[in-house]
Amino acid sequence: MSVLPFVRGVDFTKNDFSKTFPSSMRQMSRVQWLNLDRTQLAEIPEELGHLQKLEHLSLNHNRLEKIFGELTELTCLRSLDLRHNQLKNSGIPPELFHLEELTTLDLSHNKLKEVPEGLEKAKNLIVLNLSHNVIESIPTPLFIHLTDLIFLDLSHNRLETLPPQTRRLINLKTLDLSHNPLELFQLRQLPSLQSLEVLNMSGTQRTLLNFPTSLDTLANLVELDLSHNSLPKLPDVVYNVVTLVRLNLSDNAINELSASVEQWQRLESLNLSRNQLTTLPAALCKLPKLRRLLVNDNKLNFEGIPSGIGKLGALEVFSAANNLLEMVPEGLCRCGALKQLNLSFNRLITLPDAIHLLEGLDQLDLRNNPELIMPPKPSESSKATSLEFYNIDFSLQTQLRLAGAAVPASIPAAATPKDSTARKIRLRRGLRPEGGDQDAAKVLKGMKDVAKDKENELADDAGKPESLKPKRWDESLEKPQLDYSKFFEKEDGQQPGLTIWEIENFLPNKIEEVVHGKFYEGDCYIVLKTKYDDLGTLTWEIYFWIGNEATLDKRACAAIHAVNLRNYLGARCRTIREEQGDESEEFLALFDTEVIYIEGGRTATGFYTIEEMIHITRLYLVHAYGATVHLEPVTLSHSSLDPRHALVLDMGTTIYIWLGKKSKNTLNSKARLMAEKISKMERKNKCEIRVERQGEESPEFWQGLDLTPEEVAALEEPKEHVPEDYQPVQPRLYQVQLGMGYLELPQVELPDQKLCHTLLNSKHVYILDCCTDLFVWFGKKSTRLVRAAAVKLSRELFNMMERPECALVMRVPEGNEMQIFRTKFAGWDEVMAVDFTRTAKSVAKTGANLTQWAKKQETRTDLAALFMPRQAAMPLAEAEQLEEEWNYDLENMDPFVLENKKFVRLPAEELGHFYTGECYVFLCRYCIPVEEPENGAEGEGQDDSKASNNQPEDEIQCVVYFWQGRNAGNMGWLTFTFTLQKKFKAMFGEELEVVRIFQQQENLKFMSHFKRKFIIHTGKRKDKALTADGKAPVEFFHLRSNGGALTTRLIQINPDAVHLNSAFCYILHVPFETEDESQSGIVYVWIGSKSCNEEAKLIQEIAEEMFNSPWVSLQILNEGDEPENFFWVALGGRKPYDTDAEYMEYTRLFRCSNERGYYTVAEKCADFCQDDLADDDIMILDNGEHVFLWMGPRCSEVEVKLAYKSAQVYIQHMRIKQPDRPRKLFLTMKNKESRRFTKCFHGWSAFKVYL
């Protein structure tokens, strides 16, 4: 059954009916409105004569020369739009005006030389538009009969006068006479037009002599256009029209305005552009409703703009382009409603500082002001990092708030330099009137009061203690904010009655009232009963009905969305479960008729179902029209191939990309991208993509074009047949509207003539007609009846037009749009939404749906570590207590060292000495005492022997520490894993704990066993290092504690005087040349002048143990007592060195990473080392004076940018916390570190090489 007889309206705009008109239009017997704009019609189609119920017909922008015949038969016609055609007087039949229902007639933009004959017979006309013709006179009878006119447009004709009968138009509200030569016409009929609201006299040669003096008698006049005349000044009568709302005085010769403008108290828009004004009256500032003020192309300077312009509180648009302005009054910046400000083409030198405080300003045009210097923004330093960067707001206030810290009241900023140019301008303008100073004083007083209130509030907040205590895991959980508008509409539950939803694809879908009480056995429903109680307030009853054959997802979603509905309404009722065949009496009473069960299910399950997809083989031409690339279906034939283009052959499981010999590389890559998108979004990445080049096609490709090998052999080379200026048919988007027994098909208005996917509303159904294809798009919330009607209507629309053989009708559900449909819309999936702060690992963790993930992760950052206080050093007493406790529990420690690919026992004299090229194993057995139970009085009488027998045994814990030097390979770990570890496990079983530790990354418990005598040598144990000339090298050791006494190490460093520091102690071993192998030499223990006594004592003990030989001389040197001969010579000569280590009190190291799936900054412990600088990370190092941004060679560009913004935030934060220690930011890279950077690391040497 055809649905065309039920169509009430359709919009065929921009369809091409130049060759044939759809004959099926005859079937639209009930159509009431019809748009045939821009359809290339040259004559009225015969089919229109059959549309007897047609009321509104639009035929504008066509090629009509005559309208005889069919239109005169439309007795119900009420409005007729014939503008922008080629109609002449001879082509308009007088019978047309005998239509009694005709009320609106538009004949503008035609070739009429006079008023059409018989027009006076159309006595019911309300709207008449005859503009843009060549009419020279108006016949007298016309206005005698057309007394009901409300709108009359006679503009752009050749009228020199109007008939006296114009005064009979007492109902006229809009009169447009613009651009007619009415110089000798006095407009004496105006006083009779008392209903007139809009009067346009633009370009009517008005002067002070022929200006209508009775204009002020029009009591209802709200809009007046006097532009394009020769008025030297504004006639006084215009000032008396106090009802004006819009006034256009542009393009005249007006040189001044009277103070009487203050009478226009209702005025909202005033256009004074292109006049001779040098000043604006101060009375203009007394117009409280003025929203638009245009004064372009005048002679206004700074003095010409009233200082009280700030009183215009409603002003939204101020345009003063092409004037003589050097500056604007500061009062203009007090117009809080200002949205558009145009000051282009002036002589501006500067602007008021308050220009930056106009928060609602959308457009600021300052072009062609070559000497303009913009004032600095307020608190520029505080806003330097406030821009959102990769979905992250790096402003200090935001990051402090996210970290849970108190936001400071103010952020110190550098003082802005005084602007001498602005001062000259202020002196030039002179003193303002006294009233202006009073106003300014009031404003300043108000601003000070507001500032004081804010300071008091901030002081209260600042008084609260800053808390950076990490939240518990359950406190950190964020409850998702559900948007119930995705499921339910605003009107649901707001009116008494019954509302029912069915569950489809996990979501509720509202059904029509006609099917209430009819339930499918395979579906689930939510039923809402809304009613008023005795007090007149709304109450609700919510049921969810479960069919016996319903799938699990429908059952669960019915219960979930019933609760969602209750939360959405704010109801206190409970949701009631109803099952098929076991419904309660209250539920059955909701329906007027008996409940009916229908076998089967209507809606689809949300679960994935495995089914064979049916694909139609199609051939697409890839072309670039406009700014995007499109796929245009073409005939599945060899003749469709063009060597200048790329084509895509879609065969379902295989997609072929055919590349012509002359095709552009950009189109080739776009064709590949389109194929990839089709495979990913429509075929679940199971589609094979093959590239076929012209002349090298595979047999499978020709089979896809239904060609046999014999036919392929006889083929000619593809010819160039696609036109150079090829343009696809512009798609037309229709919205299907369904009413009580009728259908309407209006076109959707396109903003900027661009088809955008945001036009698609989930509540509606749309038809996209692309000529080659016709798509029916179903919104998720659209109703069942509209979908069914749209499917039938799409078939009718498809058959109505001439289309190529390859054209198809396709259904497109929301959320499952195919790629060819998406390409019709501008900007749909052109760029995938990706948060670039993620790594490949985090992508695998967070899933492949990047769009949803990016929305969830939009603000997920963790910069809290930057605002945490620095970890304090462990007190000496606490360190000694921990050392004593851990060594008390240590029963035994067996050391081993890797030697000749096996582990041997370490000699006792080498315990505590480690070499960077070796691996060590320490088997530690701890005796953990078991707490004795309290026996009380019962145990007092027992003898000692009995007590000793009942005493519980201590628990033995075995821990194996594997220590690996910086220059040692991983072979030692493998050897330990397959040899020594197995032996230990056989001995101690599962109780054995293995801890792998690396050089200078040891834990505190392991360090405590060496009692602060932890020495790290360079090289290997038994390799005697020699210098280039074969001599024994000088050994230089540096003693340092990082974060406490437990982390004290003596590390061998490069012998150079620059490494000395007055705050530390050092050991310098200078060997002597001897003939035998005896190791003789001299050892200096250098004590810095600012070093602590504990370290001075400790290093002496270590030196005595290390060099306990009669051939070695040990000397204790205080700083300043160094001998010149051996000490400085061994260090390469005397050089300047640091005299303090104040940086040790401030040094902090942060790691910037996104390995968790979002950007984080974490602080390394105080005992950090050089190996913490990972190649794939960015590190931030603070030494109290400088902040370094260290970049690893494998870090990403995105990490660099994010870390740079983080460092800026940190510096800004430290400027508040430590204002006496301002930091500067420096960038450094691996192997290019400066001394200021390396001194923060104990034992800095060459980086570890990974093999």
Side-chain angles (χ1 to χ4, degrees):
M1 178 181 174
S2 175
V3 296
L4 292 182
F6 300 97
V7 175
R8 192 174 75 167
V10 63
D11 186 353
F12 284 124
T13 299
K14 294 185 179 180
N15 281 282
D16 190 357
F17 294 148
S18 58
K19 297 180 180 179
T20 57
F21 193 79
S23 58
S24 56
M25 191 78 74
R26 300 169 182 261
Q27 302 179 32
M28 296 185 184
S29 55
R30 300 182 186 178
V31 70
Q32 294 183 10
W33 62 268
L34 179 62
N35 287 355
L36 296 173
D37 306 335
R38 304 178 188 272
T39 52
Q40 308 298 322
L41 288 175
E43 59 183 14
I44 301 297
E46 178 185 353
E47 287 77 6
L48 294 186
H50 299 273
L51 309 180
Q52 291 299 312
K53 294 188 177 181
L54 189 63
E55 297 181 3
H56 306 278
L57 176 61
S58 182
L59 291 163
N60 65 60
H61 290 85
N62 283 292
R63 297 179 294 171
L64 299 174
E65 295 183 359
K66 56 182 179 179
I67 54 175
F68 284 102
E70 289 73 16
L71 294 186
T72 58
E73 301 173 6
L74 304 178
T75 56
C76 295
L77 195 63
R78 299 177 60 187
S79 68
L80 178 61
D81 186 355
L82 294 168
R83 56 193 165 97
H84 287 280
N85 278 283
Q86 301 175 18
L87 294 175
K88 300 179 181 179
N89 288 84
S90 58
I92 302 178
E95 294 81 9
L96 178 66
F97 307 118
H98 294 172
L99 299 175
E100 296 182 356
E101 300 294 331
L102 190 63
T103 58
T104 302
L105 178 63
D106 193 341
L107 294 171
S108 62
H109 295 272
N110 280 285
K111 298 181 179 180
L112 301 178
K113 292 185 178 181
E114 57 186 20
V115 175
E117 181 183 355
L119 182 59
E120 67 275 3
K121 301 294 184 181
K123 298 181 180 181
N124 293 323
L125 274 182
I126 297 176
V127 175
L128 176 61
N129 191 347
L130 297 173
S131 65
H132 293 85
N133 284 285
V134 287
I135 300 173
E136 297 182 354
S137 63
I138 302 295
T140 302
L142 184 65
F143 294 150
I144 296 178
H145 298 91
L146 305 184
T147 55
D148 291 337
L149 280 177
I150 295 177
F151 179 93
L152 177 61
D153 190 350
L154 298 172
S155 62
H156 293 272
N157 279 287
R158 300 179 181 177
L159 299 175
E160 296 183 358
T161 185
L162 293 179
Q165 288 76 16
T166 307
R167 62 172 56 94
R168 297 174 62 91
L169 305 179
I170 58 175
N171 297 312
L172 195 65
K173 292 187 176 181
T174 301
L175 176 60
D176 192 344
L177 300 173
S178 61
H179 299 282
N180 279 287
L182 297 171
E183 182 179 5
L184 302 178
F185 184 59
Q186 297 288 340
L187 288 172
R188 294 194 176 98
Q189 298 92 333
L190 281 181
S192 301
L193 308 180
Q194 285 300 308
S195 300
L196 200 63
E197 297 178 358
V198 178
L199 176 60
N200 191 339
M201 293 190 292
S202 173
T204 55
Q205 302 178 7
R206 296 296 95 191
T207 63
L208 295 178
L209 298 177
N210 62 12
F211 198 86
T213 56
S214 56
L215 190 66
D216 54 351
T217 61
L218 300 177
N220 296 309
L221 191 65
V222 296
E223 182 174 342
L224 178 62
D225 192 340
L226 296 173
S227 61
H228 293 90
N229 284 291
S230 303
L231 296 172
K233 69 175 184 177
L234 193 61
D236 294 340
V237 67
V238 179
Y239 294 113
N240 298 329
V241 186
V242 297
T243 56
L244 283 178
V245 175
R246 293 174 294 277
L247 177 59
N248 188 354
L249 299 173
S250 62
D251 295 279
N252 280 283
I254 301 174
N255 53 28
E256 64 174 346
L257 286 178
S258 168
S260 301
V261 295
E262 64 179 290
Q263 298 185 63
W264 298 329
Q265 291 297 300
R266 300 183 186 178
L267 195 66
E268 296 181 6
S269 177
L270 177 60
N271 190 349
L272 295 168
S273 301
R274 292 173 294 281
N275 279 284
Q276 304 295 321
L277 294 171
T278 58
T279 183
L280 296 177
L284 196 65
C285 305
K286 299 180 180 180
L287 304 182
K289 296 185 178 181
L290 190 63
R291 294 188 301 110
R292 294 172 55 88
L293 179 57
L294 310 179
V295 291
N296 302 319
D297 296 279
N298 280 281
K299 299 179 180 179
L300 297 171
N301 57 17
F302 176 78
E303 300 293 340
I305 298 179
S307 60
I309 195 171
K311 298 177 182 178
L312 298 176
L315 190 64
E316 297 178 0
V317 178
F318 180 72
S319 184
N322 202 12
N323 278 280
L324 306 176
L325 296 172
E326 293 181 339
M327 193 174 175
V328 294
E330 192 161 354
L332 183 63
C333 302
R334 292 201 291 269
C335 299
L338 201 61
K339 296 180 180 179
Q340 298 179 22
L341 179 59
N342 186 357
L343 299 175
S344 60
F345 295 90
N346 277 283
R347 304 175 181 177
L348 292 175
I349 299 176
T350 186
L351 290 174
D353 294 346
I355 193 72
H356 299 294
L357 303 180
L358 292 173
E359 297 180 355
L361 195 63
D362 297 329
Q363 297 180 13
L364 176 61
D365 193 347
L366 300 173
R367 292 172 300 161
N368 288 83
N369 286 283
E371 299 181 5
L372 175 63
I373 300 176
M374 286 294 292
K377 293 184 179 180
S379 301
E380 189 68 32
S381 60
S382 65
K383 297 183 180 180
T385 58
S386 64
L387 295 178
E388 289 192 3
F389 199 78
Y390 286 105
N391 291 342
I392 303 170
D393 186 354
F394 277 100
S395 64
L396 178 59
Q397 292 87 344
T398 301
Q399 293 302 329
L400 284 173
R401 197 177 301 113
L402 292 175
V407 180
S410 62
I411 298 175
T416 57
K418 297 182 178 180
D419 190 349
S420 59
T421 305
R423 181 175 179 273
K424 291 179 182 178
I425 291 179
R426 286 194 292 270
L427 292 174
R428 185 188 304 169
R429 76 171 74 152
L431 295 176
R432 289 294 187 189
E434 190 173 353
D437 291 340
Q438 293 177 355
D439 293 339
K442 292 179 181 178
V443 172
L444 288 173
K445 183 179 183 302
M447 294 172 69
K448 288 180 180 178
D449 294 339
V450 172
K452 286 182 180 179
D453 294 341
K454 288 186 177 180
E455 286 179 2
N456 293 335
E457 294 176 3
L458 292 171
D460 295 341
D461 294 339
K464 299 177 182 178
E466 179 177 351
S467 174
L468 286 175
K469 182 180 179 181
K471 298 180 181 178
R472 285 172 44 192
W473 67 271
D474 53 347
E475 294 176 349
S476 301
L477 293 178
E478 296 182 4
K479 296 182 179 179
Q481 297 293 328
L482 290 180
D483 184 7
Y484 295 111
S485 62
K486 296 180 180 179
F487 313 135
F488 309 107
E489 300 175 3
K490 292 181 179 180
E491 59 270 16
D492 293 339
Q494 304 305 314
Q495 296 294 333
L498 198 64
T499 310
I500 301 180
W501 294 266
E502 60 186 0
I503 302 298
E504 181 177 9
N505 284 330
F506 302 124
L507 297 175
N509 182 30
K510 190 187 295 186
I511 63 176
E512 295 82 6
E513 292 186 17
V514 294
V515 294
H516 284 186
K518 301 174 183 178
F519 299 121
Y520 284 86
E521 296 179 350
D523 290 337
C524 295
Y525 298 83
I526 299 174
V527 181
L528 172 65
K529 174 65 175 178
T530 307
K531 59 183 178 180
Y532 286 110
D533 59 9
D534 297 338
L535 300 177
T537 58
L538 286 172
T539 59
W540 300 278
E541 298 175 9
I542 302 175
Y543 303 85
F544 58 99
W545 185 89
I546 308 296
N548 289 338
E549 305 299 328
T551 57
L552 179 61
D553 64 310
K554 293 183 181 180
R555 295 169 181 254
C557 290
I560 293 171
H561 289 302
V563 176
N564 286 340
L565 177 61
R566 182 187 66 186
N567 297 340
Y568 174 68
L569 297 173
R572 296 186 177 181
C573 62
R574 64 186 183 92
T575 57
I576 304 172
R577 177 187 176 99
E578 301 285 346
E579 296 187 3
Q580 180 183 342
D582 192 24
E583 294 89 352
S584 63
E585 294 182 1
E586 292 81 1
F587 179 79
L588 297 175
L590 299 176
F591 306 96
D592 298 331
T593 59
E594 186 177 351
V595 172
I596 300 174
Y597 302 135
I598 304 174
E599 187 176 352
R602 197 201 70 80
T603 62
T605 177
F607 291 144
Y608 285 112
T609 56
I610 301 175
E611 57 185 14
E612 290 293 331
M613 299 296 294
I614 301 176
H615 296 287
I616 301 175
T617 301
R618 304 196 74 190
L619 184 63
Y620 299 100
L621 173 68
V622 181
H623 65 88
Y625 173 71
T628 56
V629 175
H630 301 267
L631 294 178
E632 195 69 25
V634 293
T635 305
L636 191 66
S637 169
H638 169 265
S639 60
S640 299
L641 304 179
D642 190 309
R644 298 168 301 169
H645 291 270
L647 290 94
V648 175
L649 177 63
D650 185 3
M651 297 181 62
T653 57
T654 307
I655 297 179
Y656 294 93
I657 304 173
W658 186 87
L659 305 179
K661 293 181 179 179
K662 301 180 182 179
S663 61
K664 298 179 180 179
N665 290 333
T666 54
L667 286 181
N668 297 347
S669 59
K670 290 291 185 181
R672 176 76 187 193
L673 177 61
M674 291 294 180
E676 293 285 356
K677 286 185 176 181
I678 292 174
S679 175
K680 180 179 179 180
M681 299 180 180
E682 301 178 31
R683 316 286 162 78
K684 300 179 182 178
N685 276 332
K686 296 181 179 179
C687 192
E688 182 182 0
I689 300 175
R690 298 183 182 179
V691 177
E692 304 283 343
R693 300 188 180 276
Q694 183 179 349
E696 303 174 5
E697 297 87 352
S698 63
E700 293 80 7
F701 175 77
W702 295 121
Q703 290 177 9
L705 295 179
D706 291 333
L707 294 176
T708 63
E710 293 77 12
E711 292 173 332
V712 173
L715 287 176
E716 298 180 357
E717 281 209 0
K719 298 181 180 179
E720 299 180 1
H721 60 88
V722 179
E724 290 286 349
D725 56 347
Y726 172 76
Q727 293 184 4
V729 177
Q730 193 68 21
R732 292 170 295 280
L733 184 63
Y734 301 91
Q735 180 185 338
V736 181
Q737 296 180 352
L738 178 64
M740 296 300 292
Y742 65 83
L743 280 169
E744 288 188 340
L745 198 63
Q747 285 195 31
V748 178
E749 184 178 352
L750 306 181
D752 300 327
Q753 299 303 310
K754 287 186 179 180
L755 197 61
C756 182
H757 69 279
T758 55
L759 298 171
L760 303 176
N761 192 317
S762 298
K763 298 180 181 179
H764 304 306
V765 177
Y766 297 87
I767 295 177
L768 182 66
D769 188 355
C770 303
C771 186
T772 52
D773 279 324
L774 193 142
F775 303 92
V776 186
W777 186 86
F778 303 124
K780 291 180 179 179
K781 296 182 181 180
S782 58
T783 58
R784 190 191 320 170
L785 291 180
V786 177
R787 296 185 185 187
V791 171
K792 292 187 176 181
L793 194 56
S794 63
R795 278 291 172 190
E796 300 286 357
L797 188 61
F798 183 82
N799 298 326
M800 195 177 291
M801 313 291 180
E802 288 188 4
R803 303 178 189 273
E805 295 180 359
C806 59
L808 293 176
V809 178
M810 288 178 276
R811 304 181 187 183
V812 185
E814 182 182 2
N816 295 318
E817 295 85 358
M818 64 271 295
Q819 193 61 33
I820 185 175
F821 177 79
R822 291 170 179 253
T823 59
K824 306 299 180 183
F825 296 83
W828 196 345
D829 278 358
E830 284 300 313
V831 179
M832 297 184 69
V834 181
D835 190 329
F836 294 99
T837 64
R838 302 190 300 167
T839 61
K841 292 182 180 179
S842 67
V843 172
K845 292 180 183 178
T846 53
N849 193 333
L850 299 179
T851 303
Q852 292 184 4
W853 186 91
K855 291 179 180 177
K856 294 178 181 178
Q857 301 297 316
E858 190 171 14
T859 57
R860 282 205 66 185
T861 56
D862 186 3
L863 305 184
L866 295 175
F867 314 116
M868 294 282 190
R870 183 178 183 272
Q871 180 182 356
M874 182 183 296
L876 180 61
E878 183 180 347
E880 291 176 347
Q881 181 180 356
L882 284 175
E883 180 180 315
E884 182 181 355
E885 291 178 357
W886 282 331
N887 284 296
Y888 179 80
D889 295 338
L890 180 64
E891 187 178 72
N892 188 29
M893 182 170 67
D894 297 323
F896 302 87
V897 63
L898 184 65
E899 189 175 294
N900 296 327
K901 298 183 180 180
K902 63 179 181 180
F903 282 93
V904 297
R905 285 193 174 270
L906 183 70
E909 64 271 10
E910 293 187 29
L911 184 64
H913 292 262
F914 298 83
Y915 286 82
T916 59
E918 301 287 0
C919 296
Y920 297 82
V921 172
F922 297 87
L923 174 61
C924 299
R925 282 173 287 185
Y926 298 96
C927 181
I928 309 299
V930 179
E931 295 182 2
E932 297 182 10
E934 296 181 2
N935 296 326
E938 295 180 1
E940 292 179 0
Q942 298 178 353
D943 56 4
D944 295 340
S945 60
K946 231 179 200 182
S948 60
N949 293 335
N950 294 334
Q951 185 175 0
E953 296 183 358
D954 294 341
E955 181 182 348
I956 301 298
Q957 181 183 6
C958 296
V959 180
V960 176
Y961 296 100
F962 179 90
W963 188 94
Q964 182 173 337
R966 175 177 298 158
N967 300 325
N970 289 325
M971 186 57 66
W973 171 252
L974 295 175
T975 304
F976 166 73
T977 303
F978 291 103
T979 58
L980 204 57
Q981 183 177 359
K982 289 185 177 181
K983 292 181 180 179
F984 290 157
K985 281 197 173 182
M987 294 171 57
F988 303 104
E990 297 299 328
E991 298 178 357
L992 183 70
E993 180 185 355
V994 178
V995 180
R996 185 182 185 183
I997 52 182
F998 295 91
Q999 177 182 330
Q1000 290 181 257
Q1001 295 178 347
E1002 303 86 0
N1003 59 43
L1004 296 180
K1005 188 173 184 179
F1006 177 75
M1007 293 282 295
S1008 67
H1009 299 329
F1010 300 93
K1011 301 177 181 179
R1012 304 180 65 187
K1013 297 178 181 179
F1014 198 98
I1015 303 101
I1016 300 178
H1017 300 263
T1018 302
K1020 292 195 173 184
R1021 293 170 56 235
K1022 296 189 176 182
D1023 289 351
K1024 293 185 178 180
L1026 299 175
T1027 61
D1029 52 0
K1031 299 179 181 179
V1034 174
E1035 294 178 330
F1036 191 39
F1037 296 89
H1038 176 202
L1039 183 68
R1040 174 167 153 180
S1041 302
N1042 292 330
L1046 285 179
T1047 55
T1048 302
R1049 299 179 184 88
L1050 183 68
I1051 301 179
Q1052 184 176 351
I1053 61 176
N1054 183 37
D1056 195 326
V1058 297
H1059 297 308
L1060 292 173
N1061 191 304
S1062 302
F1064 300 119
C1065 298
Y1066 298 83
I1067 295 178
L1068 178 64
H1069 175 216
V1070 183
F1072 294 156
E1073 296 182 17
T1074 58
E1075 295 180 357
D1076 55 4
E1077 295 183 359
S1078 61
Q1079 297 181 357
S1080 63
I1082 187 170
V1083 174
Y1084 296 103
V1085 177
W1086 190 84
I1087 310 296
S1089 59
K1090 297 180 182 179
S1091 61
C1092 62
N1093 296 329
E1094 291 80 6
E1095 289 188 356
K1097 181 180 179 182
L1098 177 64
I1099 198 168
Q1100 293 182 42
E1101 295 178 3
I1102 296 176
E1104 291 173 356
E1105 295 177 4
M1106 284 179 61
F1107 304 100
N1108 186 13
S1109 170
W1111 312 107
V1112 176
S1113 173
L1114 180 63
Q1115 295 185 21
I1116 309 299
L1117 297 178
N1118 291 318
E1119 183 181 0
D1121 299 336
E1122 305 88 357
E1124 291 289 343
N1125 51 359
F1126 288 108
F1127 186 85
W1128 292 117
V1129 171
L1131 292 179
R1134 187 189 295 267
K1135 298 177 183 177
Y1137 58 84
D1138 293 337
T1139 58
D1140 65 74
E1142 190 179 8
Y1143 60 86
M1144 292 288 290
E1145 301 176 8
Y1146 301 96
T1147 304
R1148 304 179 70 180
L1149 183 66
F1150 301 93
R1151 175 177 179 245
C1152 306
S1153 172
N1154 48 29
E1155 65 180 5
R1156 299 182 184 177
Y1158 56 93
Y1159 180 71
T1160 59
V1161 177
E1163 183 176 7
K1164 292 288 184 179
C1165 64
D1167 186 27
F1168 58 82
C1169 68
Q1170 182 180 351
D1171 290 337
D1172 288 324
L1173 305 177
D1175 285 357
D1176 54 356
D1177 282 332
I1178 308 289
M1179 312 298 288
I1180 298 176
L1181 175 68
D1182 178 17
N1183 66 1
E1185 183 179 0
H1186 308 96
V1187 173
F1188 296 91
L1189 197 64
W1190 184 90
M1191 295 178 288
R1194 293 201 299 268
C1195 65
S1196 68
E1197 181 182 355
V1198 174
E1199 286 180 324
V1200 173
K1201 293 180 180 179
L1202 296 178
Y1204 176 73
K1205 304 297 279 189
S1206 303
Q1208 287 182 318
V1209 174
Y1210 176 74
I1211 291 174
Q1212 196 173 353
H1213 176 63
M1214 297 309 295
R1215 187 180 302 155
I1216 298 172
K1217 292 294 183 181
Q1218 300 174 4
D1220 56 329
R1221 300 189 67 87
R1223 269 84 159 170
K1224 293 182 180 180
L1225 181 61
F1226 290 87
L1227 301 180
T1228 185
M1229 300 178 66
K1230 184 176 180 180
N1231 293 320
K1232 295 184 179 180
E1233 299 85 358
S1234 64
R1235 171 64 184 159
R1236 292 177 299 186
F1237 182 89
T1238 59
K1239 70 180 182 181
C1240 300
F1241 296 84
H1242 188 194
W1244 182 274
S1245 62
F1247 276 96
K1248 182 178 180 180
V1249 179
Y1250 295 90
L1251 301 177

